[in-house]
Amino acid sequence: MPSRRSLLWKYAAYSAALVTTVLAAVGAVTGYFAYRDSSAAEEALLREKAGAVAIRIANFVAGIEESLAWAVASGAHGAADRSELRVEVIRLLRRLPPVTEIRWIDPQGREQLYISRVALDAAESGADFSADPRFIGARGGGAHASPVYFRRESEPYLSLAVGSPARAGGVLIAEVNLKFVWDVVSRERIGENGLAYVVDSRGQLLAHPDLSLVLARTDLSRLPHVSDAIAR
């Protein structure tokens, strides 16, 4: 009888352990699928947020390019009256606060006008831009965007060039301060701890809520999601 009772307790203990193991396994499987679904939803949200920021940045750059294209098409740039040309460029600067300077390059690649918010203006300097990638990429009605560069080791800039399709037309080159991009990412909030940041095609950090990381020229190209985005 004692042996039978001992066997019964052993069987009960074994059965309880088996049920506990099965329940734990079911809980683990359920938890895995819940985690997978939650991770997929979070990834979709992050992609949506990143896409929205990217669209805002693209629209910002496209708006400036469109204004340059209108100025090129207006015909003022081809006028013999340099004062008319100067007025047109000044109007552009007033309409486009992110643009700090504009150059007008004639069809031969010579600088005919330079207007700046931060430096002395110049007229008919004759500086040779004929081999400049911006002039080459934009002449004949094209458009060209340079890689992002830094001024004073702190401010990210972009050169935008737009050319006239007219035979006697030239090219307008604008230097664009990308502080707007920093404003966008610094205001973007994703949940309680999420944030947005921008890298260029080399993986160099261009905009981040922590400006010190940008000034340190942080390279994020080795992060898996950054390298994957660059590759795509």
Side-chain angles (χ1 to χ4, degrees), residues 4-15:
R4 185 177 178 182
R5 186 174 296 175
S6 175
L7 182 62
L8 181 61
W9 279 110
K10 286 181 179 178
Y11 176 74
Y14 171 77
S15 299

Side-chain angles (χ1 to χ4, degrees), residues 211-225:
L211 188 58
S212 64
L213 295 176
V214 178
L215 301 184
R217 305 292 185 85
T218 305
D219 183 359
L220 300 179
S221 60
R222 294 186 180 182
L223 292 181
H225 59 285

Side-chain angles (χ1 to χ4, degrees), residues 41-57:
E42 183 179 5
E43 181 178 354
L45 174 62
L46 292 176
R47 288 187 180 278
E48 181 182 351
K49 288 282 189 178
V53 173
I55 289 172
R56 290 170 67 183
I57 295 171

Side-chain angles (χ1 to χ4, degrees), residues 81-205:
D81 185 355
R82 298 299 174 185
S83 62
E84 183 181 347
L85 173 58
R86 179 183 177 84
V87 169
E88 180 65 22
V89 171
I90 290 175
R91 284 175 180 167
L92 266 179
L93 286 176
R94 288 175 178 171
R95 290 201 307 267
L96 304 172
V99 175
T100 58
E101 58 191 56
I102 296 177
R103 286 182 169 86
W104 162 245
I105 313 299
D106 70 19
Q108 288 70 47
R110 300 290 178 176
E111 182 182 270
Q112 297 299 328
L113 185 66
Y114 169 76
I115 304 292
S116 172
R117 301 182 193 273
V118 296
L120 294 176
D121 298 345
E124 300 183 16
S125 70
D128 188 2
F129 282 78
S130 60
D132 191 294
R134 296 170 294 180
F135 175 77
I136 294 173
R139 65 184 175 184
H144 177 83
S146 75
V148 175
Y149 66 94
F150 284 79
R151 286 191 173 184
R152 295 186 290 275
E153 299 299 315
S154 61
E155 297 177 322
Y157 268 77
L158 174 73
S159 288
L160 281 179
V162 176
S164 169
R167 188 164 202 166
V171 172
L172 281 175
I173 301 177
E175 305 304 320
V176 184
N177 189 328
L178 295 179
K179 183 179 180 296
F180 167 87
V181 178
W182 181 83
D183 290 339
V184 169
V185 301
S186 64
R187 290 196 303 266
E188 194 67 34
R189 289 291 177 266
I190 305 171
E192 294 183 3
N193 302 313
L195 54 84
Y197 56 89
V198 181
V199 300
D200 65 11
S201 59
R202 300 161 295 182
Q204 181 174 323
L205 189 64

Side-chain angles (χ1 to χ4, degrees), residues 23-41:
L23 289 176
V26 171
V29 171
T30 303
Y32 165 75
F33 284 110
Y35 171 76
R36 188 183 68 176
D37 292 343
S38 175
S39 296

